[in-house]
Amino acid sequence: MAPPPPPPLGGADLWRPVAAARGGGWATAAALLVVIMSHLAVLLIRRRLRRRGGVDRIARTEAAAAAPAPAPASASASGLEGLVTEDDLRQLVGSLGVGAREPETEGWEHVISKGNDDVSYRAWCDKPTAGPPKYLSITTYERCSTEQLRDFYMDNEYRMEWDNTVTKHEQLQYDENSGVEVGRTIKKFPLLTPREYILAWQVWEANDKSFYCFIKECEHPLAARQKKFVRVRLLRSGWCIRKIPGRDACQITVLHHEDNGMNIEMAKLAFSKGIWSYICKMNNALRRYPQHLSPSVSILTMQKLIKKFPQDLETAMDASLPASQTTAGTAVPSTQTARTSPCKLPGKKSSRQMIASGLLLVGSIVCLSRGRSNLGAQLAMALFLKKAFKQERESGSSTSRGKRDVTRSRR
């Protein structure tokens, strides 16, 4: 017989201490306050450390150059053969080539389209019947070469400097014969157990200086499971970097499918709300990237392992596409990219909106931390947050329109 459901909590009951656990509500608030203060302290410390990041990077690079590089194993003894193959590349080319040109006709749901003078971003989502969604995105970087963008994406050491979610990366093994490299990355997310990624990847270079990369999850004997991390059980990701003909710009088309154990609705909401800020942060880091004098270990290894794109596959791609669409980057989906303010000058919220958003977030975390955070509650909270943020955005846009109308009337 199932136990009776708990009685509903009113506004006063949420913070009322009970006999079994006196001060339970206030203890939750105090714990939440400690978490917020600790995050603020970490942010202040990181700001100070970033000022010395350039010196630390040079020191790490010199130390890595002085240390003896690990000897690559042969293809027969490395154990890496078969992890990433040309079949994976062919499947990636097919997925990027068809879906990236007409995402809507392939069943992809539009998520976001934003851009400015430096970068533009478009993303679509494919929701399977079970499991996490797949994401397809096209990012255009102005005044950037394909080689620079390739090195930026593959530089794991530099990523630890600008990406706060990446706390650690280490190279586990690589094989010069097959071109496969295996690494371990630790990512942290607010209020969640850090995620551990054991990944294998390979990079190919085509004759037109376009680049392809395929990444997948794997296991490795040097990366034993640890209780303090949640190992990601599924990650299939690939990208293509191509120059845009007639422009000083390049595009990267990414197909990403990941299951990191997070709630699906929460992950989708976080993606739609935070991806543009992340793209702006990535673009700023890309513009600073040429200032780094010495290549990292990741780049030196990639330059050693990169393979030539299969000639038969490149010939088949050129023959199957019209002359006006010889690259995935020349395709323009039907959804227009909204022009926004530059990344360096984000729009400011009013004090009332910031306080309301903060109280909404804190209240949601407290609600989910009261022992009732089952799947149904999480889904309900995700829908509530989505609706609340939508209303906030609509009210903010209507307020700004009202101010513009008043200004025009005065003129």
Side-chain angles (χ1 to χ4, degrees), residues 348-350 353 389-404:
K348 293 184 178 180
K349 292 184 178 181
S350 64
Q353 290 176 334
F389 281 118
K390 180 178 180 181
Q391 292 176 352
E392 175 188 354
R393 183 174 64 253
E394 291 176 351
S395 63
S397 60
S398 61
T399 303
S400 61
R401 287 195 301 268
K403 291 182 179 179
R404 290 195 297 268

Short mmCIF file of all heavy atoms in Angstrom, two decimals, residues 348-350 353 389-404:
data_model
loop_
_atom_site.label_atom_id
_atom_site.label_comp_id
_atom_site.label_asym_id
_atom_site.label_seq_id
_atom_site.Cartn_x
_atom_site.Cartn_y
_atom_site.Cartn_z
N LYS A 348 21.56 46.10 -19.78
CA LYS A 348 21.48 46.15 -18.33
C LYS A 348 20.03 45.98 -17.88
O LYS A 348 19.12 46.58 -18.42
CB LYS A 348 22.02 47.49 -17.82
CG LYS A 348 23.52 47.66 -18.06
CD LYS A 348 24.00 48.96 -17.45
CE LYS A 348 25.51 49.12 -17.65
NZ LYS A 348 26.00 50.39 -17.06
N LYS A 349 19.84 45.18 -16.85
CA LYS A 349 18.54 45.03 -16.26
C LYS A 349 18.35 46.06 -15.16
O LYS A 349 19.30 46.48 -14.52
CB LYS A 349 18.38 43.62 -15.66
CG LYS A 349 18.34 42.51 -16.69
CD LYS A 349 18.09 41.19 -16.00
CE LYS A 349 18.01 40.06 -16.99
NZ LYS A 349 17.74 38.76 -16.32
N SER A 350 17.09 46.42 -14.93
CA SER A 350 16.81 47.31 -13.83
C SER A 350 16.99 46.58 -12.51
O SER A 350 17.01 45.35 -12.45
CB SER A 350 15.38 47.84 -13.95
OG SER A 350 14.46 46.76 -13.83
N GLN A 353 14.15 44.19 -11.79
CA GLN A 353 14.21 42.93 -12.53
C GLN A 353 15.27 42.01 -11.98
O GLN A 353 15.06 40.79 -11.89
CB GLN A 353 14.48 43.22 -14.00
CG GLN A 353 13.31 43.87 -14.73
CD GLN A 353 13.66 44.21 -16.16
OE1 GLN A 353 14.83 44.41 -16.49
NE2 GLN A 353 12.65 44.29 -17.01
N PHE A 389 10.46 33.60 -16.88
CA PHE A 389 11.47 34.35 -17.62
C PHE A 389 10.89 34.93 -18.91
O PHE A 389 11.28 36.01 -19.34
CB PHE A 389 12.67 33.46 -17.93
CG PHE A 389 13.59 33.28 -16.77
CD1 PHE A 389 13.82 32.03 -16.23
CD2 PHE A 389 14.22 34.37 -16.20
CE1 PHE A 389 14.66 31.88 -15.14
CE2 PHE A 389 15.07 34.22 -15.12
CZ PHE A 389 15.29 32.97 -14.60
N LYS A 390 9.96 34.20 -19.53
CA LYS A 390 9.34 34.72 -20.75
C LYS A 390 8.53 35.97 -20.44
O LYS A 390 8.58 36.96 -21.16
CB LYS A 390 8.45 33.65 -21.37
CG LYS A 390 7.77 34.09 -22.65
CD LYS A 390 6.94 32.96 -23.22
CE LYS A 390 6.25 33.40 -24.50
NZ LYS A 390 5.42 32.30 -25.06
N GLN A 391 7.77 35.92 -19.34
CA GLN A 391 7.01 37.09 -18.94
C GLN A 391 7.92 38.26 -18.60
O GLN A 391 7.64 39.41 -18.93
CB GLN A 391 6.11 36.76 -17.75
CG GLN A 391 4.99 35.78 -18.10
CD GLN A 391 4.17 35.39 -16.88
OE1 GLN A 391 4.54 35.72 -15.75
NE2 GLN A 391 3.07 34.70 -17.10
N GLU A 392 9.04 37.94 -17.93
CA GLU A 392 9.98 39.01 -17.58
C GLU A 392 10.57 39.64 -18.83
O GLU A 392 10.70 40.86 -18.93
CB GLU A 392 11.10 38.43 -16.72
CG GLU A 392 12.19 39.43 -16.39
CD GLU A 392 13.37 38.76 -15.71
OE1 GLU A 392 13.26 37.58 -15.40
OE2 GLU A 392 14.39 39.43 -15.52
N ARG A 393 10.90 38.80 -19.85
CA ARG A 393 11.47 39.33 -21.07
C ARG A 393 10.46 40.19 -21.82
O ARG A 393 10.78 41.25 -22.34
CB ARG A 393 11.95 38.17 -21.95
CG ARG A 393 12.63 38.64 -23.24
CD ARG A 393 13.20 37.46 -23.99
NE ARG A 393 12.18 36.56 -24.45
CZ ARG A 393 11.94 35.37 -23.93
NH1 ARG A 393 12.65 34.94 -22.92
NH2 ARG A 393 10.98 34.58 -24.41
N GLU A 394 9.18 39.71 -21.85
CA GLU A 394 8.16 40.48 -22.54
C GLU A 394 7.88 41.81 -21.84
O GLU A 394 7.71 42.83 -22.47
CB GLU A 394 6.88 39.66 -22.62
CG GLU A 394 7.00 38.45 -23.55
CD GLU A 394 5.76 37.60 -23.54
OE1 GLU A 394 4.89 37.87 -22.68
OE2 GLU A 394 5.65 36.68 -24.37
N SER A 395 7.88 41.77 -20.49
CA SER A 395 7.65 43.02 -19.77
C SER A 395 8.80 43.98 -19.96
O SER A 395 8.62 45.19 -20.09
CB SER A 395 7.46 42.72 -18.27
OG SER A 395 8.63 42.14 -17.73
N GLY A 396 10.04 43.43 -20.01
CA GLY A 396 11.20 44.30 -20.24
C GLY A 396 11.19 44.92 -21.61
O GLY A 396 11.49 46.09 -21.80
N SER A 397 10.79 44.12 -22.63
CA SER A 397 10.75 44.66 -23.98
C SER A 397 9.63 45.68 -24.14
O SER A 397 9.78 46.69 -24.81
CB SER A 397 10.56 43.53 -24.99
OG SER A 397 9.35 42.84 -24.74
N SER A 398 8.48 45.44 -23.48
CA SER A 398 7.40 46.41 -23.56
C SER A 398 7.77 47.70 -22.86
O SER A 398 7.42 48.79 -23.32
CB SER A 398 6.13 45.82 -22.94
OG SER A 398 6.33 45.52 -21.57
N THR A 399 8.53 47.60 -21.75
CA THR A 399 8.97 48.80 -21.06
C THR A 399 9.91 49.62 -21.93
O THR A 399 9.81 50.84 -22.02
CB THR A 399 9.66 48.42 -19.74
OG1 THR A 399 8.76 47.67 -18.94
CG2 THR A 399 10.09 49.67 -18.98
N SER A 400 10.84 48.93 -22.59
CA SER A 400 11.78 49.65 -23.46
C SER A 400 11.06 50.28 -24.64
O SER A 400 11.38 51.38 -25.06
CB SER A 400 12.87 48.70 -23.95
OG SER A 400 12.31 47.64 -24.70
N ARG A 401 10.04 49.58 -25.20
CA ARG A 401 9.27 50.16 -26.29
C ARG A 401 8.50 51.39 -25.83
O ARG A 401 8.40 52.39 -26.54
CB ARG A 401 8.31 49.12 -26.87
CG ARG A 401 8.99 48.04 -27.70
CD ARG A 401 7.97 47.28 -28.52
NE ARG A 401 6.97 46.65 -27.67
CZ ARG A 401 7.07 45.42 -27.21
NH1 ARG A 401 8.13 44.69 -27.49
NH2 ARG A 401 6.11 44.88 -26.47
N GLY A 402 7.97 51.32 -24.58
CA GLY A 402 7.26 52.48 -24.05
C GLY A 402 8.16 53.67 -23.89
O GLY A 402 7.79 54.81 -24.17
N LYS A 403 9.40 53.44 -23.45
CA LYS A 403 10.36 54.54 -23.30
C LYS A 403 10.69 55.15 -24.65
O LYS A 403 10.81 56.37 -24.78
CB LYS A 403 11.63 54.04 -22.61
CG LYS A 403 11.41 53.68 -21.14
CD LYS A 403 12.72 53.23 -20.51
CE LYS A 403 12.52 52.88 -19.04
NZ LYS A 403 13.79 52.43 -18.41
N ARG A 404 10.85 54.30 -25.69
CA ARG A 404 11.15 54.84 -27.01
C ARG A 404 9.98 55.65 -27.56
O ARG A 404 10.17 56.69 -28.19
CB ARG A 404 11.50 53.69 -27.97
CG ARG A 404 12.85 53.04 -27.67
CD ARG A 404 13.29 52.19 -28.86
NE ARG A 404 12.36 51.10 -29.09
CZ ARG A 404 12.51 49.89 -28.57
NH1 ARG A 404 13.52 49.65 -27.76
NH2 ARG A 404 11.65 48.92 -28.84
#
